[in-house]
Amino acid sequence: MERPSNAYPMNGGEGPHSYSRNSSGQRIFIDRACKLIQEAVAEHLDIEAYSSSRAFLVADLGCSVGPNTFYAVSNVLQAVEQKCHSLGLDSQILEFQVFFNDHVGNDFNTLFRSLPPDRRYHAAGVPGSFYGRLFPKSCLHFVYSSFALHWLSGIPKEVQDKSSPAWNKGRIFYPSANEEVINAYAAQFAKDMEVFLCARAQEVVLGGLMVLSFITRLDGAPHSQVFVNRSLDLLESCLVDMVKKGTLSEERLDEFNLPMYYASPQEMKEAVERNGRFSIKKMVELVEESAEAYPLTGKMIASTWRAALEGLLKEKMQFGEEMLDELFDLFARKHDESSVFKFARESSITSVLLERSTTN
Ligand code: SAH
């Protein structure tokens, strides 16, 4: 059976191309979302209502292999403990259960081996796609997810259908493609968000919270101006070069598309409102004005993408190590030689706080 097109987790293990060694960029933004988590818990979490059940259940959806997930989870738990102290409740009576979720192919062994030994929670792995039910009804108190929700449940069908006007011939992504392709990706995002929110609405207790951070594009910004999209355009151009050189077949390039979509905060807002089961308590932009704050190099960007896309490229393009080295070296060079970094200023990462509201 063919694997769903998006079920390619980040590179596991602790080798040079692993996610655990190439995710410090994401960590900066997990740090920034910490303030929102503290506010969420301080202002919106009714801990007294849950403290009688003694167990406080947290899920990190799309956790990958760490260390970011452990850091994010400890931010959540610290905020809950602080809230207990501020109310004069004994936080020691609360037992924390943390569920680490990712695709079945995620390297859960590395994740479990690196669990912090001094953690104050019970840990469990939950394999499977978050575009579907993962937990029993009304059990989760806090759901966290970062850098995962821009992954779609799959590539939109039309984009791979030769008879459709949305067939994405010669391209691997939507930003520079025609309107039909962009619309197909946008519609897939809307559909996926609906499925995600319906599933979570079943699983999250009433009044329970979700903090979701994901890469976005600024409201009103054209897809072609978004830094991540510009960067992936360069990946596409490397693959086109390989077709010209005869190291990759044109057919294989035509069949390959990336299962991601960078929605605007407005699109996210509309998805939540359409669904009606959660209310948005706050939405914040995590990227700070000055792009100079994080000087980027082609090599850094290429390593980050390699940790994310290697599995997909290995299977769909049948690239071996040598080809991957060649591809990502060229990809890094193309970044350094292009004007892509000036678009880093336009980057956007949104963190949204949702509360499970009464509407069903
Ligand atoms: N949260 C971590 C890892 C982000 S990488 C961090 O912030 O550093 C994104 C992760 O989301 C990957 O491990 C990927 O496998 C996972 N992911 C993407 N789509 C998913 C889905 N539908 N269900 C579960 N996990 C998914």
Side-chain angles (χ1 to χ4, degrees):
M1 197 178 76
E2 210 192 347
R3 242 198 288 193
S5 53
N6 83 325
Y8 297 89
M10 309 293 108
N11 271 348
E14 283 158 323
H17 305 304
S18 62
Y19 187 76
S20 56
R21 300 250 310 250
N22 291 283
S23 50
S24 51
Q26 288 87 328
R27 160 80 185 251
I28 298 172
F29 299 99
I30 293 175
D31 246 338
R32 298 222 177 113
C34 184
K35 198 163 154 253
L36 182 66
I37 292 173
Q38 282 165 355
E39 257 180 66
V41 171
E43 291 169 27
H44 299 283
L45 188 77
D46 186 3
I47 191 71
E48 281 162 313
Y50 309 135
S51 54
S52 60
S53 64
R54 287 175 169 237
F56 190 87
L57 274 56
V58 177
D60 182 6
L61 307 181
C63 62
S64 192
V65 284
N68 291 353
T69 183
F70 304 128
Y71 180 64
V73 157
S74 85
N75 287 343
V76 174
L77 302 198
Q78 262 175 31
V80 175
E81 286 179 329
Q82 263 167 27
K83 170 108 184 191
C84 287
H85 292 315
S86 72
L87 293 172
L89 296 169
D90 179 8
S91 64
Q92 293 303 316
I93 61 161
L94 268 191
E95 288 204 286
F96 293 112
Q97 169 78 61
V98 177
F99 297 106
F100 294 94
N101 157 258
D102 209 293
H103 285 304
V104 293
N106 186 51
D107 185 359
F108 283 102
N109 284 337
T110 294
L111 176 82
F112 293 151
R113 264 200 303 269
S114 45
L115 275 165
D118 56 350
R119 68 189 178 279
R120 175 155 137 44
Y121 53 85
H122 303 286
V126 176
S129 172
F130 50 57
Y131 294 121
R133 286 289 299 279
L134 294 166
F135 303 96
K137 278 193 177 159
S138 287
C139 71
L140 299 175
H141 299 103
F142 198 102
V143 171
Y144 171 85
S145 177
S146 64
F147 292 97
L149 271 172
H150 44 255
W151 288 90
L152 298 171
S153 68
I155 298 156
K157 271 202 204 75
E158 314 86 290
V159 164
Q160 293 174 299
D161 174 1
K162 286 187 182 167
S163 64
S164 162
W167 182 37
N168 203 16
K169 181 171 170 48
R171 296 201 170 278
I172 63 165
F173 209 27
Y174 61 87
S176 308
N178 65 33
E179 208 52 31
E180 282 88 355
V181 177
I182 297 179
N183 291 344
Y185 269 90
Q188 187 68 49
F189 172 79
K191 243 188 272 170
D192 286 349
M193 277 315 298
E194 177 63 16
V195 173
F196 177 87
L197 292 167
C198 283
R200 301 298 83 78
Q202 298 269 314
E203 299 163 350
V204 174
V205 297
L206 212 59
L209 303 175
M210 298 209 283
V211 169
L212 314 171
S213 304
F214 50 106
I215 305 178
T216 36
R217 72 173 200 287
L218 294 171
D219 278 328
H223 292 283
S224 57
Q225 301 291 304
V226 177
F227 175 67
V228 268
N229 286 341
R230 286 264 166 177
S231 171
L232 289 169
D233 268 351
L234 295 178
L235 181 65
E236 182 178 282
S237 103
C238 294
L239 295 169
V240 169
D241 286 356
M242 290 171 98
V243 171
K244 284 186 195 145
K245 258 173 69 185
T247 47
L248 176 69
S249 80
E250 194 176 341
E251 206 180 13
R252 196 155 269 161
L253 176 68
D254 287 347
E255 282 167 6
F256 185 85
N257 288 285
L258 293 169
M260 291 180 282
Y261 181 73
Y262 301 111
S264 64
Q266 182 58 27
E267 278 173 289
M268 179 66 179
K269 206 165 157 246
E270 284 165 14
V272 174
E273 282 166 4
R274 239 189 338 262
N275 173 268
R277 289 153 172 94
F278 289 88
S279 53
I280 299 182
K281 294 292 167 193
K282 197 158 185 180
M283 228 175 188
V284 294
E285 170 60 60
L286 299 180
V287 176
E288 288 177 355
E289 285 285 293
S290 67
E292 291 81 14
Y294 8 88
L296 297 168
T297 64
K299 196 164 180 339
M300 279 158 66
I301 302 287
S303 306
T304 307
W305 279 125
R306 183 166 182 168
L309 299 176
E310 194 172 272
L312 188 62
L313 290 165
K314 268 186 181 157
E315 189 150 323
K316 296 284 174 191
M317 297 295 208
Q318 292 179 5
F319 287 163
E321 273 319 301
E322 226 171 90
M323 284 282 260
L324 287 165
D325 288 345
E326 199 185 305
L327 171 67
F328 283 100
D329 281 350
L330 179 62
F331 187 43
R333 267 201 320 277
K334 286 205 186 217
H335 277 82
D336 292 331
E337 288 161 6
S338 76
S339 57
V340 64
F341 292 119
K342 78 170 192 253
F343 291 93
R345 283 174 181 284
E346 314 295 325
S347 297
S348 168
I349 296 171
T350 301
S351 195
V352 59
L353 165 61
L354 302 176
E355 182 178 325
R356 170 85 175 88
S357 47
T358 43
T359 347
N360 242 312

